[in-house]
Amino acid sequence: MNTDNKPAIAVSNVLKTFAGKHEVKALESVDLAIAPHEFVSILGPSGCGKSTLLRIVAGLTPYEGGEVLVNQKRVTGPSPEIGVVFQSSNMLPWLTVGQNLALGAKLRKIPEAQAAPKIAQLTEMLGLKGFENNHPHQLSGGMRQRAAIGQILALDPQILLMDEPFGALDALTRDKLNVELLRIWQEQRQTVLLVTHSIAEAVFLSDRVLVMSGRPGRVVREVAIDLPRPRMPETIKQDPRYGEYISELSKLMGVY
């Protein structure tokens, strides 16, 4: 964990209400702070506003009260400092994997000569070498998600926001991609905020886990994960503390 004094993400007393025939208060008095290069996960019951909070930090959803700062700047809209990975990949089906990886750089008018080495490095790092000319439908679900992460990493964001990126995958593929994500993070060291429903995933990946209440959502508990890095399943999952963290968070989440 980075010990810089100023957080990369600071959320203070945030309120979000969805208007309509039946007004829904999604978030109330949400406070959190995430240090540069820290990996933090958010757990909470369905409908508690986890994804809404992530979209607010990303500048994709407005909010009514409080303040959200990213790198000490108030969030008023999407920022090139922030990359967002959703549960479903945003790859365009008519483009190849290589073209999809290069799309963000192209839209931002980054010269091809500047972007190409980065994209080649990501292709190798994500295990997509040899698939550059394939189209998304020709990839497995896990490979599509790796490519979706690559799309964002190609833009060199300082902060990575992830909304259940592996939620639609089978358990084995999900476990493999958790290891892959940690490897990428250990190389790139972005600040990561991950929304997940998986307690085991949150414990395995994170420096800290934040637990949200039911709607209106707010952060009610923080659990620091004191497990050594780098983390590999065969060692971490045998550590008694791993099971203890899962048990503690399960109780906080009302699993038992």
Side-chain angles (χ1 to χ4, degrees):
M1 185 190 306
N2 191 290
T3 56
D4 292 352
N5 291 327
K6 294 182 179 178
I9 301 172
V11 177
S12 304
N13 202 31
V14 160
L15 168 70
K16 175 62 186 176
T17 301
F18 291 102
K21 184 178 179 181
H22 301 289
E23 184 178 271
V24 175
K25 187 177 286 187
L27 300 170
E28 185 175 47
S29 302
V30 176
D31 294 290
L32 63 88
I34 300 174
H37 316 303
E38 192 177 18
F39 198 125
V40 174
S41 293
I42 298 178
L43 289 171
S46 294
C48 74
K50 299 184 299 294
S51 294
T52 298
L53 176 59
L54 201 78
R55 292 178 67 87
I56 287 173
V57 175
L60 300 173
T61 296
Y63 56 98
E64 289 80 53
E67 185 175 59
V68 180
L69 301 177
V70 168
N71 291 332
Q72 292 83 60
K73 292 176 286 189
R74 184 178 175 87
V75 173
T76 57
S79 163
E81 297 177 337
I82 300 173
V84 188
V85 180
F86 297 102
Q87 183 169 338
S88 300
S89 73
N90 292 325
M91 289 195 294
L92 300 179
W94 58 88
L95 297 182
T96 66
V97 170
Q99 289 168 335
N100 269 290
L101 288 174
L103 183 60
K106 186 176 181 180
L107 292 174
R108 291 190 184 176
K109 297 183 168 45
I110 298 172
E112 185 177 350
Q114 180 182 336
K118 175 72 173 178
I119 291 166
Q121 177 194 16
L122 284 168
T123 302
E124 180 84 38
M125 185 173 69
L126 292 165
L128 297 170
K129 192 171 179 60
F131 294 89
E132 296 94 331
N133 295 320
N134 288 53
H135 287 80
H137 74 274
Q138 296 174 302
L139 304 180
S140 67
M143 291 180 76
R144 280 196 298 273
Q145 279 306 97
R146 273 186 275 159
I149 293 170
Q151 276 184 307
I152 302 304
L153 294 180
L155 300 175
D156 276 327
Q158 295 178 33
I159 293 170
L160 194 58
L161 307 178
M162 310 185 81
D163 190 2
E164 284 280 353
F166 310 135
L169 303 176
D170 63 89
L172 181 60
T173 302
R174 185 171 186 152
D175 284 348
K176 288 179 177 178
L177 287 183
N178 281 339
V179 175
E180 190 72 17
L181 177 58
L182 271 191
R183 186 180 64 80
I184 292 168
W185 175 74
Q186 281 159 187
E187 288 186 19
Q188 306 272 327
R189 292 306 299 252
Q190 284 94 354
T191 303
V192 178
L193 180 59
L194 169 74
V195 165
T196 179
H197 280 97
S198 170
I199 294 171
E201 181 173 80
V203 171
F204 179 66
L205 293 172
S206 307
D207 295 312
R208 287 185 296 137
V209 178
L210 307 180
V211 179
M212 291 185 66
S213 67
R215 187 188 306 128
R218 56 190 177 85
V219 177
V220 292
R221 192 69 63 90
E222 170 190 313
V223 177
I225 307 299
D226 184 20
L227 293 172
R229 295 190 185 275
R231 295 177 185 169
M232 294 301 292
E234 61 268 26
T235 54
I236 290 300
K237 293 185 179 181
Q238 293 179 22
D239 190 317
R241 290 173 296 175
Y242 175 78
E244 290 167 6
Y245 287 129
I246 289 177
S247 179
E248 180 183 357
L249 287 163
S250 295
K251 289 175 184 176
L252 289 173
M253 292 283 291
V255 176
Y256 56 79

